Amino acid sequence: MKIPVSWLREWVDLPADVPAIAERLTMLGFEVEAIESLAPPFSGVVVAEIIRAEPHPRADRLRLCRVDAGGSQPVQIVCGAANARVGLKSALATVGAQLPGGRAITEATLRGVTSAGMLCSAKELGLESGDEGILELPADAVVGLDLRAALNLDDMSLEIAVTPNRGDVMSVLGLARELSAGKGVMLKNPNVSPVRAASKASWPVQVEPRCGAGRIVTREIRGVDNTRPTPDWLA
């Protein structure tokens, strides 16, 4: 089971040192098999909005974009992505940025036009294996904000081996409960707003006596398209 450390922290106070959290879980009987960063190291990448997009005067497959990166003046970027369009918020690697694999971003001239940075795809940032154009960020993303902060990419995830007889810890709350009991600290109660049902449909459940289930909660969800990519906020 993989779980983000930030999610555990919402339920229980934990040490700042992630390996210390992993050691505590292992001592409680839940071996941590891996500690991973949610994203590879990169720097100098910010949230930016395309405010103008025009064809490149000397290249059919390139576009000349004016980008708001939170500075006093827009930035000129040459981009070859098909999804580069006005109003799109994306990831801008500014001049001096360091991308995964040791790639350094410098000011470049493409077909006679200066490009002061690069609009990045998820693949170029090491976030996904696919490459479907530049990264598309939510409309409410804050222009100029460091992308790592905007997407919480400095978080760590723990891969935990849970034995088959401990189904009660196959959740964030279950693991937080174990950490709370093991250290003798109070379990938090984060403010989780209930999601109101949009349908009156129900799923009948009958709990037999002594079946071992203390509580069963169900909800019917319709209209899910499993062919679409997972939205950024959920991923």
Side-chain angles (χ1 to χ4, degrees):
M1 179 176 71
K2 288 188 175 182
I3 189 168
V5 174
S6 62
W7 208 347
L8 271 176
R9 293 190 192 279
E10 292 182 17
W11 289 91
V12 65
D13 288 325
L14 296 171
D17 185 39
V18 175
I21 300 172
E23 181 180 5
R24 184 177 296 180
L25 282 167
T26 300
M27 295 301 293
L28 288 170
F30 309 105
E31 181 182 359
V32 177
E33 298 180 325
I35 303 174
E36 300 175 342
S37 173
L38 295 189
F42 61 79
S43 62
V45 183
V46 300
V47 176
E49 181 177 359
I50 300 176
I51 56 178
R52 194 169 73 191
E54 302 170 342
H56 191 290
R58 299 184 183 88
D60 294 339
R61 295 185 179 182
L62 298 178
R63 295 179 69 78
L64 186 59
C65 299
R66 301 287 286 180
V67 175
D68 179 8
S72 58
Q73 296 293 331
V75 180
Q76 180 171 275
I77 303 293
V78 177
C79 180
N83 64 331
R85 61 188 184 275
V86 173
L88 175 65
K89 290 185 178 179
S90 187
L92 174 67
T94 58
V95 173
Q98 297 288 328
L99 299 188
R103 183 179 183 182
I105 300 301
T106 60
E107 188 172 276
T109 301
L110 303 174
R111 296 291 185 93
V113 178
T114 300
S115 181
M118 182 180 76
L119 289 166
C120 301
S121 67
K123 183 178 180 180
E124 288 164 331
L125 296 173
L127 302 181
E128 295 178 11
S129 58
D131 193 0
E132 299 182 357
I134 57 177
L135 186 65
E136 299 201 14
L137 298 175
D140 60 355
V142 180
V143 170
L145 184 65
D146 187 280
L147 187 72
R148 300 193 73 90
L151 299 182
N152 196 25
L153 296 179
D154 289 323
D155 196 5
M156 305 291 287
S157 74
L158 305 175
E159 185 171 353
I160 303 166
V162 180
T163 54
N165 65 319
R166 292 305 307 270
D168 58 304
V169 295
M170 290 291 289
S171 65
V172 180
L173 175 57
L175 275 176
R177 186 186 295 116
E178 293 295 317
L179 287 164
S180 170
K183 197 63 178 177
V185 296
M186 289 294 293
L187 193 66
K188 298 180 184 179
N189 186 21
N191 183 21
V192 180
S193 300
V195 179
R196 181 177 298 177
S199 168
K200 293 184 178 180
S202 62
W203 191 267
V205 174
Q206 182 175 353
V207 181
E208 299 291 343
R210 298 183 299 278
C211 73
R215 181 172 183 244
I216 295 178
V217 181
T218 69
R219 172 159 293 185
E220 183 174 310
I221 301 176
R222 295 178 178 269
V224 177
D225 184 355
N226 64 357
T227 66
R228 298 290 299 161
T230 304
D232 291 332
W233 66 266
L234 180 59

